[in-house]
Amino acid sequence: MNFLTIAFSLFILSAFPEEDKFSDINIYTWTESFGFDVLKYELDLFFYEPFDTLSGKCMMFSSALGQMNIVKYHLGSDMKIDSILFNGAKAQVFERTLDTVTLRTEVLLDSGDFFSVTTFYHGKPSSGLYTAFGGFFTDVQTLQASKQWWPCVDFCGEKSDSGIDISVTVPRSLYAVSNGNLHSIDTLENNKLRFNWKHPYPISTYLVAVLCSDYAILEKDIWAGNLIYYAIKGNENTALTMLDSSEIIVSFFESIIAPYPFAGEKIGQCQSGGRGAMENQTCIRYSPGSWAATLVHAHELAHTWWGNAVTCSDYSEMFINEGTASYYELLAALELRGDSMFKERLLYIRERALKWDDDHHWPIIGSPDPFGSNVYWKGAWFYRMLRELTGDSLFFLSMKNFYSEFLWKNASSEDLLNTFETNCAMELSYFFEQWLKGVDYPNLSLNWCGNSESLCVIISQNSWSGRIYSFPLEIALWKEGRVDSILVLWMDIDSVYVIIHHDIPDSVTLDPDDKLFYRKTKEASEETAENYTALIFRVITGKSFILESKFFDGSVFLFDVAGRKVLEFNIHPGEILLWEGLSSSGAYLPNGIYLLRSDPHYLVESIFVIK
């Protein structure tokens, strides 16, 4: 296959003004700093049948970031506070405003001072606690928040530096799973068990979870750690199948990202209730609809690296979690099931994301819905296009370096941009801006025509917002049912004319390997190509031409290969014109190939004869 590359910007005809139609969008983010750093949580929970209420004790260990005498944290307004201790002494006065608890300390804390806040509480959470399969599970979309069932500083940007210890008391017939490793099980009176879990790694509050049922426990030791699947009894075979595929997925992600980040801890997955799945740190939850869904497992396991170990800076940047995990899900599809599954999934998510853009016109960064198809699926396509732009080696090097730089931290798309520009030595701000902050996509149309010595390909783009996108575009020239050659050009204007020396192909298509996020509005084929009224011919400086119209009555335009209009005139049926090779300015045109177009469109062959 031959590759014909045009590596420069081509052929500007007209440009639409770029408009920011979504400058007034306000997304729900938390930017307030509470003035301290959470170091660790210790959570002791008691769940009451029928598992819609609980009581608990939460100790929050923190360090002041500056002078302070007010401590704020979150707890859902439906939960009742029994008492609060500050550094072990009972706090006499505290206030509650909606989901925020405000505690005034009796001493002024200086930067670096350590302190603890212990909250005793009980109640029925308004959300986040659900019954399923004789037990229960906690589940929080990040904007619903963990605060509905336990006291915490509920910003995704505030990780507990040394993790969390969780003790869970439930009936003896049940098994309680949580983050980290099981340290011990205590036998209590009244047929109760207390499961004590410890997780010393940094964790965001929305990734803390408890899942409880009469589980069958399936285990598989692999080099990365201990794969454990907590299966609802009667569904062990499904779990075993997913356990095997999870081994392949984890091994694959380790090879292209980094070793499993939570060294020494389980790679835990749980069958449970609800909808969809949730990437709880080291204890992923799957709803019944996803118990046997391999690619859902791949997506959630990808979150181990993208979302858990590296977490978005705030909810407007959810793309760092979900767009990245969605792309690595695609890579897992290729690893597990080959090209056909990869291509099928790739085209499926593109169509879903295009439809989402048509319905909403929301950006990826700052999306009013941080969990929309634009964030997931268009986000995945962002990475596909970025990889095509940088090449495989630089792409995966940049992703590895991004991961290692922000391991256990929070990151933004700006951080991702800086990493890629540093590693690739490329200016990529335009790429990040148009795809992550733009609200739509390019619509592309294709026309082509040719004669015995030249081929003309005409490509136009437009978008809902009027944005003109910049991207590399592949154009396939087909012969006898296969791609004969590929023309690669840089598209950063609204219309491009490409004239090349090439035999007339059977057909011409755009983006043959599906590398671009776009919608095709028109793609010419062998049957329709000749209907584009254009004629390609060679001008020799100083030589005259005779133009004859057989049927045509209208305007005629002459363009050079840069897409510049150099001549315009009218011609009528039966009229013969002598053209001396001069432009509209009266200067001779230089030697070269030119494109003659008419308006309105008729068949080229019936309009002009050039002698």
Side-chain angles (χ1 to χ4, degrees):
M1 183 182 298
N2 299 315
F3 285 81
L4 309 171
T5 304
I6 298 178
F8 47 86
S9 178
L10 292 171
F11 316 122
I12 187 163
L13 294 180
S14 64
F16 296 100
E18 185 174 323
E19 298 181 39
D20 182 5
K21 295 180 179 291
F22 284 78
S23 59
D24 292 332
I25 283 181
N26 291 313
I27 53 172
Y28 185 44
T29 61
W30 288 302
T31 57
E32 179 185 3
S33 171
F34 282 177
F36 58 89
D37 180 32
V38 176
L39 304 177
K40 185 179 181 180
Y41 293 106
E42 292 183 1
L43 191 56
D44 192 353
L45 300 171
F46 194 108
F47 290 87
Y48 300 93
E49 296 181 86
F51 305 123
D52 59 352
T53 58
L54 63 92
S55 63
K57 168 190 173 184
C58 178
M59 297 185 70
M60 179 176 71
F61 301 91
S62 306
S63 174
L65 298 176
Q67 282 195 336
M68 57 180 291
N69 63 352
I70 293 177
V71 177
K72 291 184 178 182
Y73 60 97
H74 300 111
L75 181 63
S77 57
D78 288 338
M79 305 304 289
K80 311 301 181 184
I81 294 179
D82 301 314
S83 62
I84 297 176
L85 305 181
F86 180 78
N87 285 342
K90 186 172 183 179
Q92 299 301 318
V93 179
F94 61 87
E95 299 176 357
R96 301 189 71 179
T97 304
L98 299 177
D99 294 337
T100 300
V101 180
T102 302
L103 172 68
R104 186 175 296 275
T105 68
E106 296 182 1
V107 296
L108 181 66
L109 298 173
D110 288 321
S111 180
D113 284 352
F114 296 100
F115 64 91
S116 66
V117 176
T118 305
T119 306
F120 296 87
Y121 69 104
H122 71 278
K124 182 177 181 179
S126 60
S127 64
L129 177 60
Y130 307 97
T131 59
F133 300 103
F136 63 89
F137 65 97
T138 62
D139 186 58
V140 285
Q141 286 288 346
T142 54
L143 296 186
Q144 292 175 333
S146 297
K147 62 186 176 185
Q148 301 302 337
W149 61 278
W150 68 284
C152 55
V153 178
D154 211 8
F155 302 147
C156 68
E158 178 54 70
K159 291 192 175 189
S160 170
D161 298 348
S162 298
I164 188 168
D165 293 347
I166 305 179
S167 294
V168 183
T169 299
V170 294
R172 186 188 295 269
S173 60
L174 301 178
Y175 192 99
V177 181
S178 191
N179 308 95
N181 284 337
L182 183 61
H183 183 261
S184 62
I185 303 175
D186 301 329
T187 301
L188 307 178
E189 59 184 16
N190 298 322
N191 288 319
K192 303 292 184 183
L193 295 177
R194 181 168 57 220
F195 293 79
N196 301 302
W197 293 87
K198 294 183 180 294
H199 182 58
Y201 288 94
I203 187 170
S204 292
T205 53
Y206 75 91
L207 298 170
V208 173
V210 178
L211 304 100
C212 188
S213 187
D214 181 18
Y215 281 124
I217 302 173
L218 311 174
E219 299 186 52
K220 189 172 189 178
D221 285 325
I222 63 173
W223 53 94
N226 189 22
L227 268 173
I228 303 182
Y229 215 106
Y230 302 91
I232 301 299
K233 289 183 176 177
N235 296 275
E236 290 91 341
N237 288 339
T238 299
L240 282 171
T241 301
M242 292 299 101
L243 202 62
D244 290 338
S245 62
S246 295
E247 179 181 4
I248 299 171
I249 293 166
V250 171
S251 173
F252 174 62
F253 287 156
E254 285 196 314
S255 71
I256 63 173
I257 309 172
Y260 179 67
F262 305 107
E265 294 203 351
K266 71 181 185 301
I267 307 169
Q269 301 178 94
C270 304
Q271 293 177 348
S272 190
R275 298 175 57 188
M278 181 62 198
E279 64 273 17
N280 308 312
Q281 201 155 297
T282 73
C283 56
I284 298 168
R285 177 192 64 83
Y286 299 105
S287 69
S290 60
W291 286 358
T294 304
L295 293 187
V296 175
H297 283 64
H299 181 96
E300 302 307 322
L301 286 167
H303 274 309
T304 301
W305 289 264
W306 307 117
N308 296 8
V310 176
T311 309
C312 60
S313 56
D314 63 48
Y315 301 124
S316 70
E317 295 276 354
M318 188 55 66
F319 153 80
I320 293 294
N321 293 18
E322 298 299 350
T324 313
S326 295
Y327 180 67
Y328 278 76
E329 170 197 328
L330 280 174
L331 297 180
L334 180 62
E335 177 73 10
L336 287 166
R337 300 183 181 177
D339 288 337
S340 60
M341 171 57 73
F342 172 76
K343 183 59 70 70
E344 179 183 331
R345 185 68 175 167
L346 187 70
L347 297 181
Y348 169 76
I349 68 172
R350 182 169 69 179
E351 189 55 39
R352 283 194 61 179
L354 288 169
K355 178 64 166 58
W356 183 274
D357 273 359
D358 290 340
D359 292 342
H360 297 90
H361 302 294
W362 289 347
I364 292 176
I365 302 302
S367 175
D369 181 358
F371 308 102
S373 293
N374 56 331
V375 176
Y376 283 69
W377 304 137
K378 189 176 180 180
W381 266 91
F382 166 87
Y383 281 111
R384 175 162 174 79
M385 293 185 289
L386 181 60
R387 180 178 171 186
E388 289 298 324
L389 195 62
T390 63
D392 285 1
S393 297
L394 288 176
F395 176 82
F396 286 109
L397 173 66
S398 298
M399 292 303 292
K400 286 182 177 182
N401 288 344
F402 177 65
Y403 173 82
S404 61
E405 181 178 355
F406 290 95
L407 178 63
W408 313 129
K409 302 176 186 176
N410 296 86
S412 68
S413 54
E414 190 69 22
D415 297 321
L416 183 67
L417 168 62
N418 292 336
T419 299
F420 265 86
E421 287 192 332
T422 299
N423 286 274
C424 301
M426 299 173 67
E427 199 286 310
L428 294 168
S429 59
Y430 77 92
F431 182 88
F432 276 64
E433 197 279 332
Q434 71 181 7
W435 293 114
L436 296 181
K437 297 180 181 179
V439 297
D440 52 15
Y441 54 85
N443 296 293
L444 299 184
S445 64
L446 165 67
N447 289 285
W448 62 276
C449 56
N451 57 28
S452 59
E453 64 175 25
S454 299
L455 172 69
C456 176
V457 179
I458 306 103
I459 303 153
S460 298
Q461 68 159 304
N462 62 69
S463 65
W464 174 86
S465 67
R467 175 189 291 270
I468 299 299
Y469 284 79
S470 300
F471 50 88
L473 178 64
E474 292 186 355
I475 304 165
L477 310 180
W478 293 75
K479 281 274 192 178
E480 299 178 353
R482 65 178 183 84
V483 176
D484 178 63
S485 58
I486 290 181
L487 170 68
V488 185
L489 61 86
W490 186 259
M491 188 88 180
D492 62 357
I493 53 178
D494 68 332
S495 294
V496 169
Y497 291 63
V498 182
I499 299 176
I500 59 174
H501 294 287
H502 196 283
D503 294 338
I504 298 177
D506 298 332
S507 63
V508 180
T509 59
L510 298 177
D511 191 34
D513 293 320
D514 300 303
K515 297 177 179 179
L516 181 65
F517 186 79
Y518 78 106
R519 194 181 291 283
K520 183 176 12 180
T521 58
K522 180 180 180 182
E523 185 160 278
S525 65
E526 183 180 8
E527 291 73 31
T528 63
E530 69 238 23
N531 292 326
Y532 195 83
T533 305
L535 187 62
I536 303 165
F537 69 101
R538 184 180 302 278
V539 169
I540 302 175
T541 302
K543 187 177 181 66
S544 299
F545 296 84
I546 295 174
L547 294 86
E548 177 183 2
S549 172
K550 295 181 179 179
F551 312 107
F552 180 71
D553 187 0
S555 299
V556 177
F557 310 94
L558 185 69
F559 296 91
D560 64 14
V561 293
R564 294 183 291 261
K565 184 170 66 174
V566 297
L567 184 66
E568 178 180 349
F569 58 90
N570 293 319
I571 194 167
H572 308 289
E575 186 174 3
I576 298 176
L577 297 178
L578 176 65
W579 176 50
E580 297 178 336
L582 302 176
S583 69
S584 297
S585 66
Y588 281 109
L589 293 176
N591 292 338
I593 293 176
Y594 291 79
L595 179 73
L596 198 62
R597 292 182 56 197
S598 61
D599 187 22
H601 295 167
Y602 288 90
L603 292 180
V604 171
E605 290 78 8
S606 67
I607 303 172
F608 302 110
V609 176
I610 298 181
K611 299 180 180 178

